Amino acid sequence: MISVNLICVGKIKEKYIKNGIDEFLKRMSLYAKVKIIELKEDGNDSNRKQSLEKESMEIIKTAEKNKGYNVLLDIGGKNLSSEEMSKEIERLTVTGTSTINFIIGGSYGVSEEVRKISQMRLSFSKMTFPHQLMRLILMEQIYRWFSIFNNSKYHK
């Protein structure tokens, strides 16, 4: 069974978002082992560059520890349909990838080093979403991608 890690900066504070994520975690248990790894948000407004670098170093360490195919959520990344991303996941599993790491940076973004360790940069939109909400959207899409890949009915 494939492993999926969400490497995220910051914690989820809103209960309704936590509930949505938990629902998709439960549904995903049919297809993959999913783990959410929350990294400490530095959030130093007086020195954003330092915060970005500190958070990025933690992302890199965590991605290296959880060896896998790294997908960075990035506004400048590829914009794929759900079907196209499902095919990409199928391609990865067929070629022997056992772990996929989805990376959501902090509010200041990520360093160039994080982009370099990422095999794919994926954009959901040119719009900016709150990081907490993006995690829920990502979980829903991961479930959708695996449902498509497994020819399962998507339950709304």
Side-chain angles (χ1 to χ4, degrees):
M1 182 175 272
I2 193 163
S3 293
V4 174
N5 297 314
L6 273 66
I7 301 172
C8 313
V9 175
K11 294 192 177 298
I12 299 294
K13 297 171 184 100
E14 304 293 337
K15 188 175 181 183
Y16 74 95
I17 294 176
K18 283 182 186 177
N19 290 343
I21 290 169
D22 289 344
E23 177 61 30
F24 288 110
L25 282 171
K26 188 169 54 177
R27 292 181 188 191
M28 275 300 297
S29 66
L30 296 170
Y31 306 121
K33 181 182 170 202
V34 181
K35 184 167 72 172
I36 296 176
I37 303 165
E38 293 180 328
L39 305 176
K40 188 175 184 323
E41 186 173 22
D42 189 61
N44 183 351
D45 283 332
S46 62
N47 194 339
R48 291 179 177 205
K49 186 175 176 10
Q50 183 180 358
S51 285
L52 181 142
E53 291 300 325
K54 195 173 186 181
E55 291 169 357
S56 292
M57 290 296 288
E58 287 302 312
I59 290 170
I60 292 167
K61 274 198 277 188
T62 305
E64 286 174 353
K65 182 179 164 192
N66 293 278
K67 293 176 177 48
Y69 186 89
N70 296 322
V71 179
L72 173 64
L73 272 60
D74 187 347
I75 200 166
K78 288 182 183 179
N79 200 317
L80 302 175
S81 70
S82 295
E83 291 78 11
E84 290 169 328
M85 191 60 192
S86 178
K87 283 186 177 27
E88 183 64 16
I89 288 172
E90 180 178 14
R91 183 191 69 77
L92 290 171
T93 59
V94 168
T95 58
T97 298
S98 60
T99 303
I100 303 172
N101 297 316
F102 289 95
I103 300 168
I104 301 176
S107 56
Y108 304 134
V110 296
S111 67
E112 193 55 40
E113 288 78 18
V114 173
R115 286 183 180 85
K116 287 179 184 171
I117 66 152
S118 300
Q119 287 81 16
M120 174 188 263
R121 290 171 46 207
L122 180 64
S123 174
F124 276 57
S125 170
K126 289 185 180 186
M127 295 181 206
T128 302
F129 297 100
H131 286 79
Q132 291 188 46
L133 189 55
M134 193 62 232
R135 197 179 313 179
L136 174 57
I137 294 167
L138 175 60
M139 277 302 306
E140 186 279 335
Q141 280 298 296
I142 291 171
Y143 175 67
R144 185 177 299 270
W145 300 331
F146 276 84
S147 293
I148 293 167
F149 169 52
N150 287 285
N151 289 322
S152 301
K153 182 178 179 222
Y154 178 77
H155 300 285
K156 295 181 180 176

